[in-house]
Amino acid sequence: MVRFENVGLRYGMGPEILKDLSFTIAPQSFQFLTGPSGAGKTTLLRLILLSLKPTRGLISLFGSDVSQIAPDALTAVRRRMGVVFQDFRLLDHLTTFENVALPLRVQGQEEARYRSEVIELLRWVGLGDKIDAIPPVLSGGEKQRAAIARALIAKPDLLLADEPTGNVDPSMAQRLLRLFVEMNRMGTAVVIATHDIALMNQFDDARRLVLGDGRLHVYD
Amino acid sequence: MSMTDPQHTNPVWTGRLTQWRTSMLTRCRDAGAWCVALIKGPSNTLPLVPSENIAGRALVTVIAIMTFLAALTAVSAQMIASAATDWQTSVATEMTIQVRPVPGRNIDQDVSRIVSLASSFKGIREVKPYSKQESEKLLEPWLGSGLSFDVLPIPRLIVLKIEDGSLVDSAGLRKAITDQWRHATLDDHRVWIARLAAMARSVVAVAVALVGLVMVATALAVAFATRGAMAGNRSIMEALHFVGATDAFIAREFERHFLILGLKGGALGGCLALVFFGAAHLFASTWLGSPGGEQMETLFGSFAIGYSGYLAVVMVAIVVAFLTALVSRITVTRTLGTLT
Ligand SMILES: Nc1ncnc2c1ncn2[C@@H]1O[C@H](COP(=O)(O)OP(=O)(O)O)[C@@H](O)[C@H]1O
Ligand SMILES: [Mg+2]
């Protein structure tokens, strides 16, 4: 599903932040991406998201080399991925409902078709009473849950979450994690970037990708 | 019976006219529906690009001013052109013959002979010679009354009225007159008409150029505003990209946003122009009766802009609104193209 071969990345003329990364992410797999702050977790996720180009090496997504994907085909690739950004990136002038429904709306679906589905998911993440609130009046944790719901709503093949439990209390973190596991059971490959050791320890058997000094160590 | 009558009563023509009217109506309705769909968007409750901000209001103001200026230019040109046409038609329905007195000739006899000659020409409806007294009266404002005109060699005028829609062989008439009376001249006002036509044409050309310039300025302002809006909404565009929006979808959102701004600005500017012309018309009617007012009326008509004037204002506003949408779409598509 995702395949890196000797991938290296530097920002501009700076030092190489990721060196010689080679790994794969299998369909329907579940893994944590971890490492100290500044290790390059976000950078690695951006490479998978096609928002950064590698300085060297080869990345392939869903079986095709990303440097060969035509610009008009990029959208189709992006629609197979769901993302939770560290800084959420919710649209401030849209309600929680509209933000979460966005992936369906940009696909041209009618609101009548997805309304109940969106509301159900919002209830699941504990935002049932914030459906018509706009992000500026939500707490950090509520925004985070809205961002997660938005990433999940279109049932992507691959889910990338950047520190998705960074702003919530431990019990909510556990609840959200269960949501990710549920999604994974239904067939979505999940990558969760986190430096929260306690969280990872609750899922001892999950695969771990550990970044350190620009290199990646995989613990299956 | 005028020349256009047969066309209007001809059933084939009437049928075609009705057909054309129906197809134009359908087209207008389709355009309207497209416009409404573009503004409403696909079953949306809120636009994806935030609509209320200071930059948006500034752009609406700029568009309103541009629309106002363009409408003003277009309607003024239209008024001048139609006034020129009025003068032309009234001037073109008359010709004058001037007979200069020469010693040893009976001018009254010459005039009556010329009158009968001119009357025999095809297309001349009426021939009206000015008598000696009438000619003197024409001169009075310049020379004052109480002067004895007997000592002055006053030329005599003969005014020829032309039948509506007829072409008079003025060259033939001129030749026939000057062959017999070397002291008579025919003035068919051709030079005047040519000058008027040239003036009307150049006024229209200048107006078209001005409207074009205003449109270009509007387009540039919109292009810069679009770039600004894109820079300001970069995070929104990125988010839209990541949730799977196509470039076309994003461009459409921006286009809708700017079409709404364009329609607001266009409507505002158009209303301003209409208010302006309404006020001008009001002033013109209050002046009427005063000599200045009469002169203005002779020059420009009564400042009533009429159906074609209203139509021009509405057209300018609509063109400005769609130009705004188009330019923003092009700008967004280009900028998105350079991003990826
Ligand atoms: N846009 C950028 N330009 C330059 N350097 C960057 C940029 N983004 C991140 N970095 C640098 O890359 C390194 C890795 O950052 P990041 O991937 O955000 O780490 P993490 O998410 O693991 O905390 C950091 O040293 C950071 O300063
Ligand atoms: Mg990070």
Side-chain angles (χ1 to χ4, degrees), chain A residues 11-12 17 35-44 46 52 86 162-163 195 211:
Chain A
Y11 284 107
I17 285 161
S37 182
K41 301 182 290 293
T42 301
T43 305
L44 178 52
R46 286 181 67 196
L52 274 181
Q86 211 168 348
D162 199 353
E163 313 275 3
H195 56 249
L211 272 174

Side-chain angles (χ1 to χ4, degrees), chain B residues 137-258:
Chain B
K137 212 164 175 63
L138 282 178
L139 284 173
E140 236 177 46
W142 279 273
L143 300 179
S145 55
L147 199 78
S148 168
F149 289 103
D150 291 341
V151 292
L152 284 173
I154 297 172
R156 298 276 287 275
L157 290 178
I158 305 168
V159 174
L160 313 180
K161 304 258 188 220
I162 299 167
E163 267 177 26
D164 285 345
S166 295
L167 270 179
V168 175
D169 176 15
S170 57
L173 180 59
R174 177 175 292 121
K175 190 168 180 318
I177 293 169
T178 45
D179 275 355
Q180 286 186 58
W181 297 279
R182 299 203 35 218
H183 53 289
T185 49
L186 173 77
D187 180 5
D188 60 2
H189 307 161
R190 189 156 288 171
V191 176
W192 254 103
I193 293 172
R195 273 194 202 154
L196 272 177
M199 187 213 69
R201 269 198 306 275
S202 50
V203 164
V204 170
V206 168
V208 166
L210 284 180
V211 171
L213 278 178
V214 170
M215 294 288 176
V216 169
T218 312
L220 284 176
V222 170
F224 282 116
T226 307
R227 292 230 185 102
M230 287 183 76
N233 295 314
R234 169 154 251 127
S235 61
I236 291 180
M237 283 194 309
E238 253 174 23
L240 287 177
H241 255 152
F242 284 123
V243 299
T246 58
D247 284 0
F249 180 93
I250 298 175
R252 226 167 22 244
E253 287 298 319
F254 273 88
E255 187 187 12
R256 179 157 81 233
H257 172 71
F258 280 97

Side-chain angles (χ1 to χ4, degrees), chain A residues 4-211:
Chain A
F4 275 50
E5 281 174 46
N6 306 309
V7 170
L9 182 116
R10 59 171 90 238
Y11 284 107
M13 301 304 286
E16 209 166 38
I17 285 161
L18 299 176
K19 301 170 191 146
D20 260 340
L21 262 53
S22 296
F23 67 94
T24 57
I25 293 169
Q28 304 177 24
S29 58
F30 187 99
Q31 49 257 295
F32 289 108
L33 172 63
T34 184
S37 182
K41 301 182 290 293
T42 301
T43 305
L44 178 52
L45 293 184
R46 286 181 67 196
L47 281 171
I48 301 175
L49 275 170
L50 305 172
S51 97
L52 274 181
K53 275 200 182 92
T55 350
R56 60 191 175 87
L58 200 100
I59 300 178
S60 70
L61 273 180
F62 306 111
S64 39
D65 178 356
V66 295
S67 62
Q68 304 296 317
I69 299 176
D72 358 333
L74 283 178
T75 305
V77 173
R78 288 206 180 103
R79 284 184 183 173
R80 297 182 66 179
M81 300 191 276
V83 208
V84 183
F85 293 99
Q86 211 168 348
D87 52 357
F88 320 130
R89 307 217 187 163
L90 299 168
L91 303 196
D92 281 348
H93 64 291
L94 299 187
T95 65
T96 308
F97 174 84
E98 287 162 337
N99 265 292
V100 171
L102 209 51
L104 303 176
R105 186 164 136 193
V106 300
Q107 287 177 24
Q109 291 192 24
E110 291 294 321
E111 188 182 322
R113 272 185 56 201
Y114 58 68
R115 181 159 188 94
S116 58
E117 202 181 329
V118 171
I119 289 176
E120 191 189 341
L121 181 58
L122 281 171
R123 292 223 178 92
W124 221 102
V125 297
L127 290 176
D129 54 344
K130 302 285 182 187
I131 286 171
D132 293 320
I134 54 170
V137 304
L138 297 180
S139 73
E142 287 166 341
K143 280 189 245 192
Q144 185 136 51
R145 284 177 271 155
I148 291 171
R150 186 179 69 183
L152 296 178
I153 189 70
K155 302 190 180 65
D157 294 329
L158 174 63
L159 180 82
L160 307 170
D162 199 353
E163 313 275 3
T165 55
N167 291 279
V168 295
D169 55 66
S171 71
M172 182 46 91
Q174 223 174 41
R175 195 178 151 91
L176 292 176
L177 209 59
R178 279 218 308 281
L179 187 60
F180 288 130
V181 171
E182 191 66 31
M183 288 301 292
N184 177 242
R185 285 216 186 96
M186 285 162 64
T188 299
V190 177
V191 180
I192 298 172
T194 182
H195 56 249
D196 185 347
I197 310 279
L199 187 77
M200 282 185 291
N201 287 342
Q202 291 169 7
F203 289 83
D204 255 350
D205 49 346
R207 189 178 180 229
R208 290 188 194 184
L209 310 173
V210 183
L211 272 174

Side-chain angles (χ1 to χ4, degrees), chain B:
Chain B
M1 183 184 262
S2 100
M3 289 171 75
T4 49
D5 260 347
Q7 289 181 358
H8 282 285
T9 48
N10 187 326
V12 177
W13 272 98
T14 324
R16 275 191 203 161
L17 213 64
T18 322
Q19 219 173 22
W20 178 81
R21 210 176 286 151
T22 326
S23 88
M24 283 316 276
L25 277 177
T26 323
R27 249 174 245 177
C28 285
R29 214 189 39 221
D30 290 352
W34 175 78
C35 191
V36 168
L38 190 61
I39 293 170
K40 276 171 69 184
S43 69
N44 276 343
T45 41
L46 265 180
L48 289 188
V49 180
S51 56
E52 279 305 315
N53 57 42
I54 295 159
R57 256 176 308 214
L59 187 65
V60 169
T61 314
V62 169
I63 292 172
I65 293 172
M66 294 300 191
T67 309
F68 177 70
L69 291 179
L72 222 61
T73 315
V75 174
S76 308
Q78 205 180 40
M79 258 160 36
I80 291 173
S82 81
T85 318
D86 286 352
W87 303 332
Q88 279 177 42
T89 40
S90 63
V91 167
T93 54
E94 279 187 10
M95 293 196 278
T96 32
I97 300 168
Q98 204 183 83
V99 187
R100 282 188 307 280
V102 276
R105 287 200 71 115
N106 182 344
I107 194 165
D108 287 321
Q109 198 183 7
D110 283 347
V111 166
S112 65
R113 287 231 202 106
I114 292 173
V115 165
S116 58
L117 171 76
S119 308
S120 70
F121 261 74
K122 200 169 153 280
I124 305 285
R125 178 163 56 85
E126 191 194 328
V127 180
K128 183 184 181 305
Y130 277 71
S131 67
K132 187 160 176 291
Q133 288 75 29
E134 284 169 325
S135 303
E136 283 170 7
K137 212 164 175 63
L138 282 178
L139 284 173
E140 236 177 46
W142 279 273
L143 300 179
S145 55
L147 199 78
S148 168
F149 289 103
D150 291 341
V151 292
L152 284 173
I154 297 172
R156 298 276 287 275
L157 290 178
I158 305 168
V159 174
L160 313 180
K161 304 258 188 220
I162 299 167
E163 267 177 26
D164 285 345
S166 295
L167 270 179
V168 175
D169 176 15
S170 57
L173 180 59
R174 177 175 292 121
K175 190 168 180 318
I177 293 169
T178 45
D179 275 355
Q180 286 186 58
W181 297 279
R182 299 203 35 218
H183 53 289
T185 49
L186 173 77
D187 180 5
D188 60 2
H189 307 161
R190 189 156 288 171
V191 176
W192 254 103
I193 293 172
R195 273 194 202 154
L196 272 177
M199 187 213 69
R201 269 198 306 275
S202 50
V203 164
V204 170
V206 168
V208 166
L210 284 180
V211 171
L213 278 178
V214 170
M215 294 288 176
V216 169
T218 312
L220 284 176
V222 170
F224 282 116
T226 307
R227 292 230 185 102
M230 287 183 76
N233 295 314
R234 169 154 251 127
S235 61
I236 291 180
M237 283 194 309
E238 253 174 23
L240 287 177
H241 255 152
F242 284 123
V243 299
T246 58
D247 284 0
F249 180 93
I250 298 175
R252 226 167 22 244
E253 287 298 319
F254 273 88
E255 187 187 12
R256 179 157 81 233
H257 172 71
F258 280 97
L259 176 64
I260 291 169
L261 293 186
L263 284 173
K264 275 187 196 163
L268 203 66
C271 287
L272 270 180
L274 291 179
V275 166
F276 176 86
F277 283 112
H281 179 51
L282 217 67
F283 271 121
S285 6
T286 30
W287 285 340
L288 266 186
S290 74
E294 264 166 30
Q295 275 173 22
M296 290 293 272
E297 171 141 32
T298 330
L299 275 177
F300 297 112
S302 60
F303 269 110
I305 67 175
Y307 286 125
S308 55
Y310 288 111
L311 198 70
V313 172
V314 172
M315 287 296 287
V316 165
I318 290 176
V319 167
V320 165
F322 282 91
L323 183 73
T324 306
L326 184 70
V327 168
S328 72
R329 197 228 310 251
I330 292 171
T331 314
V332 171
T333 312
R334 284 225 180 123
T335 315
L336 287 176
T338 57
L339 274 183
T340 43

